[in-house]
Amino acid sequence: MPDTPVVERADSAVFTVPTDAAEAGEAGGTRAWDSTTLVPATVGCGRATGLGCAYAPAPTAHVVGDLLAGVVVGGAAFDVPRMSEAMHRAVRHAGLPGVAAQAIAAVDRPARPRRRPRPPARL
């Protein structure tokens, strides 16, 4: 029986990107902004690395590093339900809504197994 792949690393970063002056005024009737923050999260297993991200405030990256990486690293790479439950438990004292939920979404996306790309639909 082949070994079960194990998550070896989980990292995040923060990128704040200035928005174009034309976009800053198009906030859909809400507050205008001059930048947007992207928090990418990577989950690695062997030579494979998955990428997920969230448009979220910078503290989201701290939640990934401080609360989520420790429960994801060492887990079975394809046991997504168990990893998801572990991440939800890890943020129970931080509060699930808001930043913690955004951090889980950023980590959960690359952790989802993708065996092979789907072929394009034929028209």
Side-chain angles (χ1 to χ4, degrees):
M1 177 179 254
D3 292 331
T4 301
V6 174
V7 174
E8 299 167 353
R9 60 197 176 279
D11 300 302
S12 63
V14 177
F15 297 98
T16 300
V17 181
T19 56
D20 200 4
E23 294 176 25
E26 297 180 23
T30 62
R31 183 178 154 263
W33 58 87
D34 59 359
S35 65
T36 188
T37 304
L38 177 68
V39 179
T42 57
V43 175
C45 175
R47 294 183 345 199
T49 300
L51 174 67
C53 66
Y55 290 100
T60 306
H62 292 287
V63 174
V64 172
D66 296 345
L67 300 176
L68 301 181
V71 298
V72 172
V73 172
F78 293 116
D79 193 354
V80 177
R82 185 169 293 182
M83 281 201 296
S84 180
E85 181 180 341
M87 288 190 289
H88 281 83
R89 287 177 186 234
V91 300
R92 71 185 179 278
H93 295 299
L96 181 59
V99 172
Q102 291 170 314
I104 290 172
V107 173
D108 185 51
R109 181 68 182 150
R112 297 237 176 240
R114 286 167 194 74
R115 304 252 183 224
R116 60 182 170 193
R118 291 183 182 170
R122 293 189 178 184
L123 300 176

